[in-house]
Amino acid sequence: MMEKEYIIRKARMEDTNTLDAMLTELIGYETRYNSNLDASYQVQDNYARLVEEPGCALLVAEAEGRIVGFLYGFLYQIPGMHVKPMALLDALFVSEPYRGRGIATALFSAFRRFAAEKGACRIELKVMSQNENALRFYEKLSFQECKKYMTLDCL
C-alpha cells in the first residue's frame, strides 16, 4: 500500500495569504455557474481573522512542502430554534494537479470529526446545481438533498 503523500492540519496565520489566493481561484472557477461573480475579484485578508476562532475549522492539506487544498467550515445555532448546533461547510478546494488523491475526502473527514466533537447534529453545504463534479463528490460522502436554494435574476 502506498503511503499517503499529504498531511491535513489546522491552518496557521502564515497560511492565510495562500488560502486567500486559493479562495480567489475557487471563486474564479465558480464564475462558470454564477454570472454575478466577478472573475477578476481578488480575496484579501479573509481567513486571517478566522484562524483562531473556536467555532471555525480552517484546515489545510499539505503536499510536497506546500498547501495544495483547504477547507473552511463553521458551527452555527439559532438560540431557541435549534436544539443542537449545525456545521456549515463553506469552502472546499484542492488544486487541480492534486485532485483524485483523496485530499478532499481527508479534509472533509477532519471537518466531520471537528463538527462531531463540537456537538453538531449535521453538516450542511451549498453547491452549485450545475457543478456535477462537486455534486458527485458530496453524494459519494452520503450527502443528500434536503431543500432547494433557489434564485431569480432581477430584470
Side-chain angles (χ1 to χ4, degrees), residues 14-26:
E14 61 266 23
D15 301 329
T16 58
N17 287 338
T18 300
L19 300 182
D20 287 342
M22 289 181 139
L23 181 57
T24 297
E25 190 175 344
L26 176 59

Side-chain angles (χ1 to χ4, degrees), residues 57-113:
L58 187 54
L59 307 168
V60 299
E62 207 173 70
E64 301 170 352
R66 63 189 202 99
I67 296 172
V68 299
F70 81 98
L71 180 148
Y72 168 63
F74 58 91
L75 300 176
Y76 75 97
Q77 183 174 8
I78 300 172
M81 184 170 131
H82 296 137
V83 176
K84 294 182 178 182
M86 289 178 284
L88 181 69
L89 193 167
D90 188 63
L92 174 59
F93 180 80
V94 176
S95 296
E96 188 117 15
Y98 294 90
R99 293 180 186 166
R101 299 183 188 190
I103 294 172
T105 301
L107 283 164
F108 174 74
S109 293
F111 180 62
R112 189 174 189 174
R113 283 190 302 277

Side-chain angles (χ1 to χ4, degrees), residues 109-126:
S109 293
F111 180 62
R112 189 174 189 174
R113 283 190 302 277
F114 163 85
E117 288 168 6
K118 299 290 187 183
C121 64
R122 74 171 44 113
I123 298 172
E124 297 180 341
L125 60 83
K126 292 179 188 174

